[in-house]
Amino acid sequence: MTDNKKRIKKITAYVLACVFSFGMLFLSACQKEEKPGVVYYDVDYLTVGFSQVGAESDWRVANTESIKNSLSRYNGIDLIFDDAQQKQDKQILAIRKFIQQEVDYIVLAPVTETGWDTVLGEAGEAGIPVIIVDRKVDVKDDSLYKAWVGSDFARESEIACLWLKAYADRKHIRPEDINIVDIQGTLGATAQIGRTSGLESASYEYGWNILASVPADYAQSKAEEVMTDLLRRYPEVNVVYCENDNEALGTIDAIEKSGRKAGTDITKGEILIISFDATHAGLTKVLEKKIALDVECNPLQGETIRDLIKSVDSGEEFPKYTYVEEKAFSADETVSSIKLSDSDYEITLLTGEILEERQY
Ligand code: GZL
């Protein structure tokens, strides 16, 4: 074979090798190994930017997990996640970044209700639909967001206060002998606004005493610090209204370190704790009878948000507001049901089996 022919043969082999290896590279780039054994080829993913409040509580961690599991490539979604560490300016920054990245949808879990008009207007100008989850936004024009998914915080508070009213009646405790401290959530958050105002209206209606209302940002350590001070200032306290489970855990620590007892019987000098979220950590304390009532705030909103995005994207009808289902769990059977908007609302007596079966 002449030298010339040998050279052409070599170049041809080299070119073929390059084409083959690039081909393999391209093929593997198109395959997304997401779940073991299931191979995904490049599909036309929807890109969704999700601005989450932070990771301040067990509830928030469960909420993030639920949303990440549902807004996944398995469901045709490419998720860009941002944790704002409970700072509104970080959320606004994240939304502006999503706009620059030309995402298809923005999901926002707002840390507080106000201050969103401008940035949601920018998303609107960029033609990017926004879905609000968990807490609400207080904006001049509610067409700035497509839909909202979350809890009815006023209803959660109403359930807690109707339960406390029924409890006091069954224990023959006079309303003026109910002495409450309110360990509040992040001031300005819809959950805090709903839970605080529900307690204030009930206390006014039933004649209870609210000795103090102090924010603890839904955090366990802050709640312990706040409750330690409140026990010193108000030794007559006999009910602690904690606006989430992590605050209830901190409250229990403070009570026990002070030598008093968190329990279910005020008439025996125990301090009654009412909490919200019904996380695993909180319900464990209900089982130990250290939290008397835990009103669920369901963080498992991922599938609802996924379905909403699919409906919006396919031009189908969808609800503007979707409320998630929630229960209330008690440590004993003092109160097994309450009258809520003229119908019976069952209070679930918590058992180990019920706790075992729960998803979060
Ligand atoms: C309620 C949510 C609250 C939870 C807290 O939907 O906004 O924020 O009750 C969480 O645990 O931090």
Side-chain angles (χ1 to χ4, degrees), residues 56-57 59-60 134-135 153 191 195 218 243-244 277 297:
E56 75 283 359
S57 65
W59 185 96
R60 188 68 55 196
D134 179 25
R135 303 170 188 175
F153 304 109
R195 292 170 187 164
Y218 298 120
E243 295 191 5
N244 89 324
D277 284 355
C297 178

Side-chain angles (χ1 to χ4, degrees), residues 53-324:
V53 167
E56 75 283 359
S57 65
D58 294 31
W59 185 96
R60 188 68 55 196
V61 169
N63 182 246
T64 295
E65 193 181 332
S66 167
I67 294 171
K68 280 184 172 177
N69 286 343
S70 297
L71 305 192
S72 65
R73 285 182 155 220
Y74 187 74
N75 290 317
I77 290 171
D78 236 345
L79 184 69
I80 307 171
F81 175 78
D82 182 86
D83 172 337
Q85 292 153 352
Q86 292 182 272
K87 300 260 183 306
Q88 181 174 37
D89 55 350
K90 286 180 185 273
Q91 291 200 283
I92 291 171
L93 218 58
I95 293 171
R96 287 187 170 135
K97 236 168 83 186
F98 297 150
I99 294 170
Q100 276 167 358
Q101 290 165 299
E102 297 180 349
V103 298
D104 297 303
Y105 287 86
I106 289 172
V107 174
L108 168 66
V111 60
T112 49
E113 292 197 340
T114 54
W116 302 102
D117 296 78
T118 304
V119 76
L120 294 187
E122 292 165 17
E125 277 151 28
I128 303 173
V130 176
I131 291 180
I132 307 294
V133 297
D134 179 25
R135 303 170 188 175
K136 290 185 172 176
V137 292
D138 177 8
V139 289
K140 290 184 186 57
D141 172 6
D142 70 5
S143 68
L144 284 172
Y145 59 93
K146 279 284 177 199
W148 170 87
V149 182
S151 298
D152 183 342
F153 304 109
R155 183 173 182 275
E156 290 174 1
S157 179
E158 191 181 3
I159 290 166
C161 294
L162 285 169
W163 177 89
L164 181 55
K165 170 76 171 64
Y167 171 91
D169 292 349
R170 293 231 191 348
K171 293 281 185 185
H172 309 294
I173 299 168
R174 297 179 309 167
E176 58 269 33
D177 294 333
I178 295 284
N179 300 312
I180 305 167
V181 293
D182 179 2
I183 313 281
Q184 296 173 298
T186 302
L187 294 183
T190 316
Q192 178 272 317
I193 294 167
R195 292 170 187 164
T196 295
S197 59
L199 175 67
E200 286 170 349
S201 331
S203 301
Y204 180 76
E205 183 182 348
Y206 302 130
W208 304 331
N209 307 308
I210 297 181
L211 305 170
S213 302
V214 184
D217 266 340
Y218 298 120
Q220 181 169 343
S221 53
K222 181 77 180 144
E224 181 178 353
E225 185 192 308
V226 163
M227 190 60 200
T228 302
D229 176 51
L230 290 172
L231 281 163
R232 259 199 301 273
R233 287 162 53 200
Y234 303 102
E236 71 276 29
V237 63
N238 52 22
V239 176
V240 186
Y241 181 90
C242 298
E243 295 191 5
N244 89 324
D245 283 342
N246 296 76
E247 293 180 346
L249 298 180
T251 295
I252 291 166
D253 291 344
I255 289 171
E256 292 180 343
K257 283 177 184 167
S258 77
R260 295 201 48 191
K261 188 169 180 269
T264 55
D265 195 343
I266 291 179
T267 61
K268 290 184 184 146
E270 295 174 350
I271 297 179
L272 203 75
I273 295 176
I274 292 173
S275 185
F276 296 87
D277 284 355
T279 59
H280 195 275
L283 291 180
T284 301
K285 294 301 176 190
V286 173
L287 223 45
E288 294 171 10
K289 300 194 186 308
K290 293 183 177 178
I291 292 176
L293 179 80
D294 202 344
V295 180
E296 183 177 29
C297 178
N298 187 344
L300 307 180
Q301 301 163 353
E303 288 177 4
T304 308
I305 297 162
R306 175 202 63 200
D307 297 345
L308 260 179
I309 289 174
K310 299 279 181 189
S311 301
V312 176
D313 212 56
S314 47
E316 284 163 21
E317 285 287 302
F318 60 90
K320 180 86 176 178
Y321 298 94
T322 304
Y323 288 92
V324 290

